[in-house]
């Protein structure tokens, strides 16, 4: 099987930014002494993949809706600052090399349930911007992952893409978009009945018969 394109998730699929994000979000919480709740990297692996509004609802149910979303915005602003300042290599093994190889023979795209600017930050930090044809997120469209996958497909005239992600929500979004799903089994979550499975990111080179 050889799809005409590959659409990628970020968190839990391409990199693991949870330690830095937890640090940044906790810094935002420290501004309000009445908030005792704190994030952990492990806890974030269960939240990443949800839209940011849902993460706010799950994390700050004790705050009025307007306040929890404003706090989430502050968390995301600090997250960007912390990620930009970080010198750590957050990519999973083989991701950068595999993306560079794949991009020579297969158009690559990113669709993530993230805030505006996060994908751009990822591409800048990793130097992979030249390998990605197009990308989308709810922060840009206000839509969920399934509709955003369809949007990227339509505006790039994709006929038979595959979506690569790591959690059940990614599989559901792929199904909603009507395309096959490949589970990155090294990532953040378990998945029911994926169409394909990779144990490491470089498996994409052989799974879909692309030359390394």
């Amino acid at each position: 099987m050889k799809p005409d394109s590959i659409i990628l998730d970020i968190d839990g699929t391409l990199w693991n930014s949870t330690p830095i994000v937890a640090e940044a979000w906790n810094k935002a919480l420290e501004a309000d002494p009445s908030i005792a709740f704190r994030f952990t990297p492990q806890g974030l692996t269960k939240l990443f993949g949800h839209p940011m509004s849902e993460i706010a609802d799950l994390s700050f149910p004790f705050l009025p809706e307007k306040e929890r979303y404003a706090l989430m915005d502050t968390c995301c602003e600090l997250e960007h600052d912390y990620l930009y300042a970080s010198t750590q290599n957050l990519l999973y093994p083989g991701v950068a090399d595999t993306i560079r190889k794949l991009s020579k023979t297969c158009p690559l795209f990113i669709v993530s349930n993230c805030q505006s600017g996060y994908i751009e930050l990822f591409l800048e930090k990793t130097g992979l911007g030249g390998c990605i044809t197009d990308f989308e997120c709810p922060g840009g469209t206000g839509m969920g992952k399934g509709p955003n996958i369809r949007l990227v497909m339509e505006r790039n005239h994709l006929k038979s893409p595959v979506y690569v992600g790591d959690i059940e929500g990614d599989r559901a979004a792929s199904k909603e978009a009507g395309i096959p799903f490949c589970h990155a089994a090294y990532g953040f979550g378990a998945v029911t009945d994926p169409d394909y499975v990779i144990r490491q990111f470089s498996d994409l080179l052989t799974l879909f018969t692309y030359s390394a």
Side-chain angles (χ1 to χ4, degrees):
M1 184 270 187
K2 190 172 183 178
D4 69 352
S5 52
I6 299 175
I7 307 175
L8 301 162
D9 175 48
I10 294 182
D11 293 304
T13 301
L14 301 181
W15 75 0
N16 181 1
S17 64
T18 57
I20 294 174
V21 174
E23 182 182 0
W25 288 12
N26 287 336
K27 184 67 174 179
L29 300 185
E30 290 173 8
D32 187 341
S34 69
I35 299 178
F37 173 78
R38 292 295 183 268
F39 292 98
T40 65
Q42 183 60 33
L44 286 178
T45 66
K46 297 177 174 60
L47 293 172
F48 277 14
H50 293 278
M52 301 310 298
S53 59
E54 289 185 17
I55 293 178
D57 293 337
L58 292 167
S59 303
F60 314 129
F62 48 85
L63 292 176
E65 189 174 275
K66 184 177 180 180
E67 291 181 25
R68 74 176 71 135
Y69 296 153
L71 179 56
M72 193 76 255
D73 287 342
T74 301
C75 286
C76 290
E77 290 172 7
L78 278 179
E79 169 190 323
H80 282 209
D81 293 341
Y82 275 57
L83 285 171
Y84 268 122
S86 174
T87 58
Q88 297 181 46
N89 178 14
L90 303 176
L91 292 171
Y92 286 109
V95 165
D97 186 54
T98 300
I99 283 181
R100 292 189 182 102
K101 289 176 178 177
L102 283 171
S103 68
K104 294 177 181 178
T105 56
C106 174
L108 302 178
F109 304 84
I110 290 176
V111 174
S112 175
N113 267 346
C114 60
Q115 67 274 22
S116 294
Y118 188 78
I119 300 176
E120 293 91 331
L121 182 151
F122 169 84
L123 295 174
E124 180 178 339
K125 290 290 293 185
T126 61
L128 295 172
C131 300
I132 303 299
T133 301
D134 192 12
F135 57 82
E136 198 52 85
C137 69
T141 66
M143 300 190 299
K145 183 169 282 186
N148 279 332
I149 291 173
R150 290 299 310 177
L151 177 63
V152 166
M153 290 171 60
E154 290 165 4
R155 72 187 181 200
N156 292 280
H157 311 291
L158 308 182
K159 301 300 183 183
S160 56
V162 62
Y163 187 79
V164 182
D166 65 302
I167 63 172
E168 181 65 23
D170 295 331
R171 186 202 63 79
S174 300
K175 183 176 181 180
E176 183 181 4
I179 64 173
F181 172 69
C182 178
H183 181 216
Y186 53 83
F188 294 161
V191 168
T192 303
D193 295 327
D195 298 291
Y196 308 96
V197 178
I198 54 173
R199 304 295 176 185
Q200 55 189 7
F201 191 76
S202 59
D203 288 347
L204 288 174
L205 290 167
T206 51
L207 176 62
F208 299 124
T209 64
Y210 290 103
S211 172

